[in-house]
Amino acid sequence: MADERHQLTYRVRYALRHPDRIRPYLRRAWRDLKLRIRTRGDHVAYYREVMRHDVATNPRGAVGTPSRERWLALGQLQFDYLLEHGLQPHHDVLEIGCGNLRAGWRLIEHLEPRRYHGLDISPDVLLAANHTVAEHALQDKEPNLRLVEDLRLEHLPADRFDVVHAHSVFSHCPLDVILECFDHVGRILRADGFFDFTFNATAGEEHHVLHEDYYYRPDTLLDAARARGFEAVFLDDWEPRHKQSKIRLRHPAS
Ligand SMILES: C[S@@+](CC[C@H](N)C(=O)[O-])C[C@H]1O[C@@H](n2cnc3c(N)ncnc32)[C@H](O)[C@@H]1O
């Protein structure tokens, strides 16, 4: 867990140990400043611009895995976990922040036609997602891919999804965006469905790096979900698999 990364002393020590990373960091810091000014504190508009730059450079890199090999492996990791946790072809799945379908193409392949819904705030990454559908010859599965500007999920029907999945999305979101999702996801989640999301966990002070990467204490997210009536659990069996942690929300058993 990241504890002191936000502290200046940690950053100076880190820079001295990794001088080759100073220039890329400064480039990102300059982009951060320009985009923050241009988007005037609107985080979704800001992150959409980040994705526009990153997709133009490398669509696979934009979701965090520049090589094809790592892109495939990270999708497999997500898919295998859902399978282990009971995902069936007749389930209806919503992927929040679906990106260019790193996991999505495997989900689409596994599910019956029209059972996969993906949404994202980035038009550029959704265009890349269209290419992924074509590349894997999944057109007949008719995945539903939507551009959104918030996480109110208002275009989706109530009680519709067995599984809602968000990998490496809340790691890029300030708390108000996550809470907006918590406020609305219960409406579209079936009574026995679950919502899994990953996040960057810290045992120390919550912080963000350049408005791109956000770190939360697990209890902040667990408490916020419970305050909204969900059963919320930290998924220990995910911990050894990935650097981000995972939480699952369910409706309370009646
Ligand atoms: C690191 S990528 C992960 C993509 C995908 N989940 C995967 O694992 O391949 C993060 C994705 O979340 C999207 N995203 C970021 N903030 C979002 C938000 N508030 N609502 C929906 N999508 C968001 C980004 O546009 C990007 O496609």
Side-chain angles (χ1 to χ4, degrees):
M1 289 194 185
D3 287 328
E4 42 169 355
R5 284 184 227 193
H6 60 294
Q7 291 172 3
L8 185 60
T9 46
Y10 173 89
R11 290 183 194 180
V12 171
R13 280 202 314 272
Y14 184 86
L16 291 174
R17 281 201 314 273
H18 305 281
D20 52 313
R21 298 192 190 164
I22 295 175
R23 194 190 280 261
Y25 175 83
L26 290 176
R27 262 204 303 270
R28 278 180 70 192
W30 175 236
R31 178 177 78 172
D32 178 75
L33 180 66
K34 280 191 301 188
L35 293 183
R36 291 290 293 170
I37 292 169
R38 200 185 305 156
T39 57
R40 297 178 191 167
D42 175 344
H43 180 78
V44 168
Y46 165 86
Y47 205 74
R48 192 176 270 169
E49 284 297 298
V50 168
M51 289 303 288
R52 190 169 69 77
H53 284 104
D54 289 354
V55 170
T57 309
N58 174 353
R60 289 197 186 99
V63 298
T65 43
S67 77
R68 179 174 170 78
E69 191 188 18
R70 288 299 298 151
W71 187 85
L72 287 169
L74 253 292
Q76 185 83 56
L77 183 74
Q78 298 175 52
F79 178 67
D80 288 347
Y81 187 82
L82 287 174
L83 275 197
E84 277 175 40
H85 284 249
L87 179 70
Q88 301 285 326
H90 66 272
H91 283 155
D92 289 295
V93 175
L94 172 66
E95 184 172 8
I96 293 175
C98 60
N100 58 1
L101 303 179
R102 182 167 60 168
W105 77 266
R106 295 179 192 276
L107 293 166
I108 295 164
E109 188 176 62
H110 176 69
L111 297 171
E112 294 170 357
R114 294 180 294 282
R115 299 260 186 213
Y116 177 89
H117 291 240
L119 58 83
D120 206 288
I121 54 166
S122 163
D124 302 272
V125 89
L126 286 173
L127 292 177
N130 285 342
H131 294 309
T132 303
V133 170
E135 191 184 332
H136 293 274
L138 293 165
Q139 295 92 335
D140 290 346
K141 292 292 184 106
E142 299 181 43
N144 185 311
L145 302 176
R146 289 281 185 106
L147 179 65
V148 295
E149 58 188 356
D150 56 47
L151 287 178
R152 298 170 63 82
L153 310 172
E154 61 190 6
H155 66 288
L156 295 166
D159 305 321
R160 177 67 160 80
F161 295 99
D162 304 288
V163 173
V164 180
H165 174 74
H167 178 93
S168 194
V169 181
F170 291 170
S171 44
H172 303 295
C173 293
L175 191 59
D176 61 318
V177 173
I178 300 174
L179 297 183
E180 178 180 66
C181 182
F182 286 3
D183 283 337
H184 296 279
V185 71
R187 184 184 68 81
I188 55 117
L189 190 64
R190 291 200 169 118
D192 56 352
F194 61 81
F195 170 31
D196 283 2
F197 61 86
T198 66
F199 65 103
N200 287 321
T202 178
E205 201 175 318
E206 297 185 341
H207 61 283
H208 58 86
V209 179
L210 298 179
H211 304 94
E212 286 187 38
D213 300 308
Y214 288 78
Y215 292 79
Y216 296 104
R217 284 189 298 274
D219 279 346
T220 297
L221 303 180
L222 291 164
D223 291 348
R226 288 172 186 147
R228 286 161 175 78
F230 290 106
E231 282 178 359
V233 289
F234 187 89
L235 295 170
D236 290 313
D237 67 343
W238 173 258
E239 283 296 291
R241 307 184 197 208
H242 192 258
K243 63 183 177 182
Q244 292 187 19
S245 297
K246 200 192 274 276
I247 283 176
R248 173 168 297 169
L249 308 190
R250 286 181 178 280
H251 290 298
S254 49

